[in-house]
Amino acid sequence: MRSLSLQGDRNFYVKPLIIKTVDTLSYKTVSLNKATVNKEWILIDATDLVLGRLASRVALVLRGKNKPGYTPHVDCGDNVVIINAEKIRLTGKKMTDRVYTRYTGYPGGQRFTTPREILASRPEELIRKSVRGMLPKTRLGDKLINNLYIYAGPEHKQQAQKPKTIKFNEI
């Protein structure tokens, strides 16, 4: 190689510049949108499952956090069908000691209910209330809760979608 002298007696060699091409697509973050989301149908049997554990797993699936392409601001979760909601289990004294409070909007209109009373009249609402509390409190959370279908008994209306039955521990 030829030496170049710059600033007096300092000599250095100029090396050829080698540019390596890098596959830049492997370094980009993939962000899903409404058109690229792959939504599936999942069926969960709630028989003898603990309410809070079931609700947290269902909220995770509704958000889509179990998928590799999770995008926080997009509805990229699956549709979830829960059957046998009446056979849900609460541990400890939560069935009688926990109290849900609501307000009718009128003076003296504060109403109190326990999980036992809710299970006796509409067991689907107990699961829906628990899952909704674990979703974001935004417009996205309002859309995500609509992907949840809960039925008190073993029959459901989503047979045409052919939901994939999964066990609770597989989520």
Side-chain angles (χ1 to χ4, degrees), residues 18 23-24 36 43 79 88 90 122 132 136 144 152:
I18 299 173
D23 183 16
T24 57
T36 60
L43 178 69
N79 296 303
I88 199 77
L90 275 82
R122 19 179 239 288
R132 179 64 183 111
L144 292 175

Side-chain angles (χ1 to χ4, degrees), residues 49-57 88-90 98 130 134 168:
L49 293 180
V50 179
L51 175 64
R53 292 171 191 235
L54 173 69
S56 64
R57 296 285 175 93
I88 199 77
R89 192 166 58 95
L90 275 82
R98 176 173 286 165
S130 298
M134 297 182 186
F168 178 70

Side-chain angles (χ1 to χ4, degrees), residues 51 123-133 145-150:
L51 175 64
E124 305 92 2
E125 289 305 311
L126 188 61
I127 295 176
R128 185 175 306 281
K129 183 184 284 281
S130 298
V131 172
R132 179 64 183 111
I145 197 68
N146 293 328
N147 295 333
L148 179 64
Y149 302 88
I150 306 170

